Amino acid sequence: TWAPRQSRAILAFPDGANVSYDFDTKQQVSLPAHWEQFSFSPSGEQIAGLNIALDRENRWLFASDPDGKNLQSIEALGNYANRVTVSWSPNDQVIAFSRTGNDIGGERQQILLIGKNGENFPGLVVEGYGFQPNWSPNGSRILYSAARSDNDYKPALWIVGGSGNTMGANRQLLRVNTWANKCTFASEEALYCAVPIVLDRGVGLTPALADTVPDTIERIDLTTGARTTVARPETDASVHDLSIAPDGSRLYFTTKQDGKLHEMKLR
């Protein structure tokens, strides 16, 4: 997990070890192995994460310095850690989403937005299941995906307000069947997404079923809703971890098939 200014990163290893590394000072610090889901603050001076202790009474959403000092417990997790997604917003207002809101019914669920200081933000009303969020660059909007029965439980993208009085407002269905974590924002008005060429019924509830399905790369204009097919990778691949170069000239991504980092020229 990279800090916004790319001077720090947290590396989570397969054996459970977590390391915080400062590229400026060349120093590394080990973090507790039971800490998970790291996310940096916009300044990079703090991290948020989940403390998944063996005792459920000691499980917390926390914030701390990148080296683990000045630990602050934000919200108790209890048995609901698997319903929390840590994602520090670029506008520094929200640090996590929680699928523990009111049961609205009709395949709708309320997603709670958690601030660092106990703020009472409006909840998001999400149409469907399998909620996955993705912040726009300045945090004014939230891209998310969810799956509903009227779309054969395939993941569909939505965009909604994510800041101040617009939080949860101006919800718009983009009519693109993919997951929010397979997208990256080029600006506040446009994003690039890896879109599977075909999706079976129910895959939105079990994303791993699409790990072998090839993707195309599409550009989506959030102002007009227009979709443009940019390209398809040279070899069939399921694309993940998209990011865009600062000048907008290239896309970077990994693939499920080989786990390698790939580059795609946009211009």
Side-chain angles (χ1 to χ4, degrees):
T1 302
W2 284 94
R5 297 178 184 176
Q6 300 182 351
S7 60
R8 291 190 176 104
I10 294 177
L11 294 81
F13 292 90
D15 65 358
N18 297 315
V19 172
S20 176
Y21 189 80
D22 189 317
F23 288 87
D24 292 334
T25 64
K26 311 298 183 186
Q27 293 182 336
Q28 72 177 41
V29 177
S30 294
L31 300 177
H34 56 273
W35 287 9
E36 300 177 0
Q37 276 201 52
F38 299 101
S39 182
F40 278 91
S41 67
S43 67
E45 297 301 317
Q46 286 186 295
I47 58 171
L50 302 182
N51 180 350
I52 310 297
L54 290 177
D55 183 354
R56 65 184 181 185
E57 300 298 325
N58 293 325
R59 296 173 184 172
W60 289 83
L61 168 67
F62 71 86
S64 75
D65 295 344
D67 59 4
K69 296 179 181 178
N70 297 314
L71 182 65
Q72 177 185 359
S73 297
I74 307 297
E75 292 284 347
L77 297 173
N79 291 325
Y80 298 105
N82 62 342
R83 299 189 185 184
V84 177
T85 301
V86 183
S87 183
W88 207 312
S89 66
N91 58 22
D92 204 24
Q93 293 184 334
V94 175
I95 65 171
F97 299 89
S98 179
R99 301 187 304 279
T100 54
N102 295 327
D103 185 6
I104 302 174
E107 294 189 305
R108 295 185 299 166
Q109 60 177 316
Q110 184 186 46
I111 305 296
L112 303 182
L113 285 76
I114 303 174
K116 192 175 70 171
N117 301 302
E119 296 90 342
N120 186 23
F121 295 119
L124 303 182
V125 176
V126 172
E127 302 281 347
Y129 309 103
F131 171 80
Q132 288 186 6
N134 192 343
W135 289 101
S136 70
N138 66 14
S140 64
R141 306 170 96 177
I142 303 168
L143 176 76
Y144 69 85
S145 55
R148 285 176 54 86
S149 61
D150 59 6
N151 191 37
D152 288 336
Y153 293 110
K154 299 175 183 178
L157 293 180
W158 298 73
I159 193 81
V160 68
S163 177
N165 294 331
T166 69
M167 195 170 289
N170 305 317
R171 186 177 55 177
Q172 177 186 358
L173 175 63
L174 299 181
R175 302 191 184 281
V176 179
N177 289 332
T178 191
W179 289 268
N181 65 0
K182 288 168 73 76
C183 298
T184 186
F185 280 86
S187 66
E188 291 295 319
E189 291 76 36
L191 65 148
Y192 289 90
C193 293
V195 181
I197 61 173
V198 63
L199 287 174
D200 293 331
R201 176 180 173 84
V203 71
L205 306 179
T206 312
L209 295 177
D211 283 351
T212 59
V213 178
D215 291 317
T216 59
I217 305 298
E218 296 192 9
R219 185 183 187 276
I220 302 166
D221 188 313
L222 296 177
T223 302
T224 65
R227 296 170 54 180
T228 305
T229 299
V230 177
R232 184 167 172 176
E234 292 181 353
T235 58
D236 287 347
S238 178
V239 173
H240 292 262
D241 304 319
L242 272 77
S243 62
I244 191 166
D247 63 0
S249 64
R250 290 173 170 81
L251 276 178
Y252 301 98
F253 57 87
T254 60
T255 64
K256 284 288 185 178
Q257 280 70 13
D258 62 16
K260 295 180 180 179
L261 181 67
H262 297 259
E263 175 188 85
M264 176 181 290
K265 293 183 179 180
L266 299 174
R267 61 171 186 262

